[in-house]
Amino acid sequence: MPDDIWFVVAAIILITIGGLFAAIDSAVSTVSIARVEDMVKEGRAGARRLATILSARGTYVGLAVLLRVVCETAAVALIALSATDTLGVTWGLVVAIGGMAVVSYVAVGVGPRTLGRQHAYTIALASAVLLSVLGVLLTPVTRLLILIGNALTPGRGYRNGPFATEVELREVVDLAEASGVVAAGERRMIQSVFDLGDTSAREVMVPRPEMVWIEADKSVAQATNLAVRSGHSRIPVIGENTDDVLGVVYLKDVVAKTAAGRGAPSTLTVRDVMREAEFIPDSKPLDKVLADMQRTRNHMAMLVDEYGGIAGLVTIEDVLEEIVGEITDEYDLDEVAPIEKLPDGAYRVSARLPVEDLGELFDIEIDDDEVETVGGLVGLELGRVPLPGARVASHGLELVAEGGPNRQGRQRIITVLVTRVASADDGADDDPSEQDGGPSDALSDTSRAVQHASSTDADETVHGRQDHDHAGSMAHASRSGPRARTERDR
């Protein structure tokens, strides 16, 4: 009996130590490196040692987890010995397993972890010395166990253990918003930073048909006029066609040369003042695009598709808008919102809105690998180039194309009016196009005539003449239409 009492006392001590390591694990996983660096500058005790621990956070978190598991396991074994000696093997094991499950959950799983998050910096600073000493003694054991765990786990393992993944960081951000530490807008921006690596440049680019460009043999005066009319200070320079991009002309360079009297604006050509263009694959992740633009001090890049043609262009503003949302200036007076909810429940969306975002609006699954945008979905269902006034039904939705001619005279759709089609259960047995009261009823007879005529006139309308005196095409999407992506909570 005396031995059993000592077993229980030892188990209580081990549970306490296990709870301590659980709190340390939670605290070290929660603290911010930037905050600790500020503490180092302030000269706070233990901050420098804690900064060293955070430089190898995964290793020390793994060490704390190992010691917690050892303490819990030893405590369970001691209680099992004491219980079986007193109650017999069967009831002793039942009491030991049931009792220790509750005790471990409360004394190790919930309480210490909550304290570790609530007082993360205090606990982390206080335990920095202990972790450093234990790290020197037990790091080889910890690394060996991590290697064994990775070897037994299918797929790619983690060098320092799966203790500081992106998923955990996202959960911390969500918890911070729920606790009122960060605002909802701040959480969206932080989550958008994580999504940069999963977003390609193609998803935020200005497509080639909407680029503003100028021919290389045009005069500097014409380039200045185009820059003033379009509101862009950087314009791609082309040769024979839009796939033949020779460089980029900057309005500042044009003004500097003409103001310095180095040439007459009417005789100096764009070729003489343009700079080299940067070309990148359209599949390049946005985080790498942003890093390259910062490194090269370049704010515009031309995107090349898999066939070697120009797919479009991307600017540093397009990348930043993926983080902070839409950025507008004095020239964005006619910008259209990517998503506009109408009073009758319908939506007016950008033709460049991703089909996944459209599905989220109506809580439906739109899984079509052939197209990426709402405008592309209209064209796919229509079977030809969509024109303003075209109407299609897809995935239980009615889509009506809206738009008009651009600067070259081409008919292009800019927005799409989307309405949920009434089901048979709602008594909508008639054709949706003949029902009253919906937004699609506003479609005029003229628009219907345009739709029926599109099969014969599509080639002439879509491939209409290009006015080279204007030296450009449709303006940047941020000037003439909505962006492809929205400031949605991903």
Side-chain angles (χ1 to χ4, degrees):
M1 180 66 69
D3 291 340
D4 295 341
I5 295 176
W6 287 113
F7 285 162
V8 173
V9 172
I12 295 174
I13 295 174
L14 288 172
I15 286 295
T16 304
I17 297 175
L20 173 63
F21 283 116
I24 294 174
D25 166 22
S26 180
V28 173
S29 300
T30 303
V31 295
S32 167
I33 296 178
R35 176 79 178 276
V36 173
E37 289 177 351
D38 291 339
M39 292 180 178
V40 172
K41 296 177 181 178
E42 295 171 0
R44 189 166 177 178
R48 190 173 300 278
R49 192 178 296 273
L50 179 58
T52 304
I53 291 175
L54 294 182
S55 63
R57 191 198 303 254
T59 300
Y60 288 96
V61 170
L63 176 62
V65 171
L66 172 63
L67 294 175
R68 175 181 60 81
V69 171
V70 169
C71 291
E72 287 186 83
T73 304
V76 171
L78 291 175
I79 292 297
L81 286 175
S82 177
T84 54
D85 188 38
T86 304
L87 304 175
V89 175
T90 302
W91 285 105
L93 290 178
V94 171
V95 172
I97 294 174
M100 290 305 297
V102 174
V103 172
S104 296
Y105 181 79
V106 175
V108 178
V110 178
R113 289 182 178 275
T114 302
L115 290 175
R117 289 184 179 274
Q118 291 177 342
H119 309 282
Y121 292 94
T122 302
I123 294 176
L125 289 172
S127 61
V129 177
L130 175 62
L131 284 179
S132 299
V133 174
L134 293 176
V136 174
L137 298 176
L138 299 178
T139 293
V141 178
T142 305
R143 289 191 176 276
L144 176 61
L145 294 177
I146 290 174
L147 289 176
I148 295 175
N150 287 337
L152 297 177
T153 303
R156 182 181 178 183
Y158 295 90
R159 180 179 180 182
N160 294 321
F163 306 113
T165 63
E166 179 180 315
V167 175
E168 293 179 355
L169 294 177
R170 287 177 180 265
E171 291 176 351
V172 170
V173 174
D174 293 337
L175 180 63
E177 183 197 12
S179 303
V181 178
V182 299
E186 295 172 337
R187 184 189 68 84
R188 283 194 295 269
M189 285 193 289
I190 296 173
Q191 298 285 12
S192 298
V193 172
F194 289 126
D195 291 332
L196 279 184
D198 300 326
T199 305
S200 64
R202 179 177 56 254
E203 297 181 55
V204 302
M205 71 177 180
V206 179
R208 183 173 64 175
E210 299 183 8
M211 289 169 44
V212 172
W213 42 260
I214 188 171
E215 294 90 343
D217 57 354
K218 294 296 181 179
S219 67
V220 168
Q222 289 174 307
T224 304
N225 184 34
L226 177 61
V228 172
R229 287 189 291 108
S230 65
H232 301 303
S233 59
R234 301 174 181 86
I235 302 175
V237 180
I238 66 171
E240 298 179 356
N241 51 56
T242 51
D243 281 324
D244 183 23
V245 176
L246 304 179
V248 178
V249 61
Y250 290 69
L251 181 60
K252 288 184 178 180
D253 294 341
V254 172
V255 174
K257 283 189 175 294
T258 54
R262 301 177 184 176
S266 58
T267 59
L268 192 65
T269 64
V270 172
R271 189 188 302 271
D272 299 327
V273 298
M274 70 179 184
R275 299 190 186 187
E276 292 185 1
E278 180 181 358
F279 299 90
I280 61 175
D282 62 354
S283 59
K284 193 169 186 176
L286 283 185
D287 57 345
K288 295 183 178 179
V289 172
L290 180 59
D292 289 346
M293 286 184 170
Q294 290 176 313
R295 177 175 50 82
T296 60
R297 295 187 296 179
N298 181 44
H299 283 209
M300 176 185 290
M302 310 303 301
L303 301 185
V304 181
D305 59 25
E306 56 184 324
Y307 303 105
I310 298 297
L313 64 83
V314 64
T315 66
I316 197 169
E317 178 182 334
D318 297 324
V319 181
L320 294 179
E321 285 182 339
E322 286 299 296
I323 302 175
V324 302
E326 295 295 321
I327 301 175
T328 58
D329 57 23
E330 297 83 356
Y331 297 95
D332 294 330
L333 299 178
D334 58 347
E335 184 172 351
V336 180
I339 299 176
E340 179 186 0
K341 186 174 182 179
L342 303 179
D344 54 8
Y347 287 89
R348 177 173 284 109
V349 303
S350 165
R352 295 172 55 193
L353 184 77
V355 291
E356 294 84 359
D357 292 350
L358 178 63
E360 291 180 7
L361 285 178
F362 291 91
D363 195 21
I364 60 176
E365 184 71 22
I366 302 181
D367 187 13
D368 202 323
D369 297 333
E370 299 184 34
V371 295
E372 297 181 357
T373 64
V374 177
L377 182 62
V378 174
L380 177 66
E381 298 292 346
L382 193 63
R384 56 179 180 267
V385 178
L387 297 175
R391 183 201 305 244
V392 298
S394 177
H395 299 84
L397 303 175
E398 185 180 41
L399 298 90
V400 181
E402 301 176 328
N406 62 6
R407 296 183 180 182
Q408 295 176 322
R410 300 180 181 180
Q411 292 285 342
R412 297 188 60 84
I413 63 173
I414 300 176
T415 58
V416 177
L417 189 64
V418 186
T419 310
R420 189 186 297 274
V421 178
S423 62
D425 296 337
D426 298 331
D429 296 328
D430 298 331
D431 189 284
S433 62
E434 299 176 0
Q435 297 179 4
D436 297 330
S440 58
D441 293 329
L443 184 64
S444 64
D445 295 336
T446 304
S447 299
R448 293 190 179 92
V450 172
Q451 175 186 355
H452 293 306
S454 61
S455 59
T456 57
D457 299 338
D459 184 72
E460 178 183 355
T461 305
V462 174
H463 304 287
R465 64 180 183 84
Q466 296 186 1
D467 186 1
H468 292 288
D469 292 336
H470 287 85
S473 68
M474 180 175 281
H476 188 294
S478 65
R479 314 299 182 196
S480 62
R483 289 170 43 79
R485 296 180 60 85
T486 64
E487 188 188 356
R488 296 183 55 83
D489 186 9
R490 300 177 177 85

